[in-house]
Amino acid sequence: MVPHVPWALIFCILAICGLGVWNLASAARPPHASVWTSQALYMGIGLGVALMVCLVDYRWIQRMTVPIYVINILALIALRFIGHKAKGAESWFVLGPVRVQPAEFMKIGVILMLAKIYHDDFRPNQESYGLMRLWKPVLAVAVPAGLVLVQPDLGTAMMILLSSLTVILFGKVRWYLVAVMVAGILAAGVIIWNDYVREAPEPRFTVLKHHLKKHQSQRISGWLDPEADLRGSGYHAAQSKIAVGSGGMSGKGWREGTQTGLSFLPEQHTDFIFSVWAEEHGFLFCLVLLVLYGGLFSLALAVGFNARDRFGAFVAVGITAMIFWQVFENIGMVIGLLPVTGITLPLMSYGGSSIMSMMVSVGLLVNISMRRHMF
């Protein structure tokens, strides 16, 4: 198995982890001055977890997929009764000094479940998936996404849906379903235009705005009109863009960022960690970070396309999609191209549950690669 260890993939991941801890050491200011040491500890433990995951034959993980999925569902349900509420969301279990976010591990549970469904349902020369055959994948995604959405955690629910949709498309669907998806995207655009852009006398009929919570609706309106409320809903995005733009080509230097040092950046050690990197290291080192993420995506996809079976292939594609959409949304959010959703940057942002779920994902990718020629 050793010749098939994806060393280039491991290098990309370790390089991003190292840059993440270094960046956190600058971003972590009082009262969060010690988070970078905690992050380093989480990463050390996470690497041990990844090693354990990659040493277990993933066929055993395949057999345990349903129990893993059910345990994660039960954890999300338990949040409604014994969860800790913070920042308006009931998303964490508090176990002494440690906080655990079950939704982070649910993302992996959903990917494993989808991979098992597509592996078990495979029949040679069978037609692409139509609407009737998709009921099992759709149900496997809808239940956890709904449970995460009611916490409420719109960002994580969106990540579950996007990564799952990527896996479903990878499983080959009929052309009319792709057309329906495109029509749905266009319809969402029309709804947002009607609710937030179109000028009409009040009261007026709205679809999305009527059902979203106030702070969620303000994030969308602030995204569409960033300068409408710079001290309110647009504050986060405005301060982030100032930090990113002020970094220039080469940055201000480590721990020299003014937006970071004066704590103008909100959540600068979690959601807006990329803003810290851009301000202090500039455009050129942002490109370096993006190249590392690009290498991670391409090498992880290579693991999927060289996997020995459909289960391994779908798990690798699902993990790649999960990481890609998080990076895409976080960076798009901090430069003002996408709404602020509270999505963290994988391996860079502070968070124990996020790091652990990422390391489990890394362990699965290495596992699949190591066993690609074993039968």
Side-chain angles (χ1 to χ4, degrees), residues 331-372:
I331 295 179
M333 172 184 78
V334 302
I335 62 177
L337 293 180
L338 296 172
V340 176
T341 56
I343 295 298
T344 56
L345 187 59
L347 302 175
M348 291 286 288
S349 296
Y350 173 74
S353 296
S354 175
I355 289 296
M356 289 301 165
S357 67
M358 282 297 305
M359 290 304 176
V360 170
S361 301
V362 169
L364 286 169
L365 289 173
V366 175
N367 193 329
I368 294 164
S369 179
M370 289 169 62
R371 292 169 174 81
R372 65 189 180 190

Side-chain angles (χ1 to χ4, degrees), residues 29-44:
R29 307 296 172 94
H32 305 290
S34 63
V35 296
W36 73 273
T37 56
S38 300
Q39 184 85 336
L41 178 61
Y42 288 140
M43 285 183 174

